[in-house]
Amino acid sequence: MGTLTALLDLAHRRAIELDLPYQGALTPAEAHQVWQLAPGAKLVDVRSRAELHLVGHIPGAVNLEWELWPSGQINTGFLTQLRQAIDPESLVMFICRSGHRSDNAARLVTQSGYNNCYNVLEGFEGALDANKQRGHIGGWKFANLPWEQE
């Protein structure tokens, strides 16, 4: 891959190209490398507790539900919970199943004053394949990055 600066510059260029309001967009492999290289960087998994239990989770990630299970309603306490867990000066990367909820989280958190937010493209499981299944096209698991099953 590259140095931390090169990875973050690439992510920032993607954000500009995609007209994203947050600092950058990273592939799962890039996010993993940034997590290893940046002291104090945080990976926030915004999937539901049910998803973490049934599909698997990333060791060391901060788990904060964006949508509450089983209602699917937006977690109105998300920002408060995030502020309790992560310093606003930290580099924060958000991940979900496919990259959609984490994009929403990165947008909201950036608007609330966190200036170093990144979305993990493809998410944990990646896009749907031709058989409408995940895990075969992109994502954290597909990239063989660290994860575990309960």
Side-chain angles (χ1 to χ4, degrees), residues 125-139 141-142:
E125 294 184 80
L128 291 170
D129 65 14
N131 296 317
K132 298 191 184 214
Q133 296 178 339
R134 295 189 189 275
H136 305 284
I137 301 174
K141 285 173 75 172
F142 184 77

Side-chain angles (χ1 to χ4, degrees), residues 111-126:
Q111 290 171 358
S112 76
Y114 283 69
N115 296 317
N116 211 3
C117 295
Y118 295 79
N119 184 33
V120 180
L121 303 168
E122 303 171 11
F124 186 73
E125 294 184 80

Side-chain angles (χ1 to χ4, degrees), residues 39-121:
K42 303 292 184 187
L43 179 64
V44 178
D45 192 329
V46 301
R47 294 177 297 145
S48 71
R49 282 183 282 238
E51 288 174 286
L52 298 172
H53 178 71
L54 295 171
V55 181
H57 66 277
I58 301 167
V62 174
N63 302 311
L64 292 175
E65 290 180 299
W66 177 255
E67 295 174 356
L68 301 173
W69 177 260
S71 70
Q73 292 192 356
I74 299 295
N75 177 5
T76 58
F78 184 84
L79 280 174
T80 301
Q81 294 164 2
L82 182 78
R83 285 186 185 112
Q84 291 171 348
I86 298 175
D87 186 293
E89 299 300 316
S90 296
L91 186 154
V92 186
M93 298 172 288
F94 294 94
I95 190 168
C96 65
R97 180 187 63 204
S98 62
H100 180 70
R101 286 174 286 176
S102 54
D103 171 76
N104 289 334
R107 288 171 186 269
L108 176 69
V109 173
T110 297
Q111 290 171 358
S112 76
Y114 283 69
N115 296 317
N116 211 3
C117 295
Y118 295 79
N119 184 33
V120 180
L121 303 168

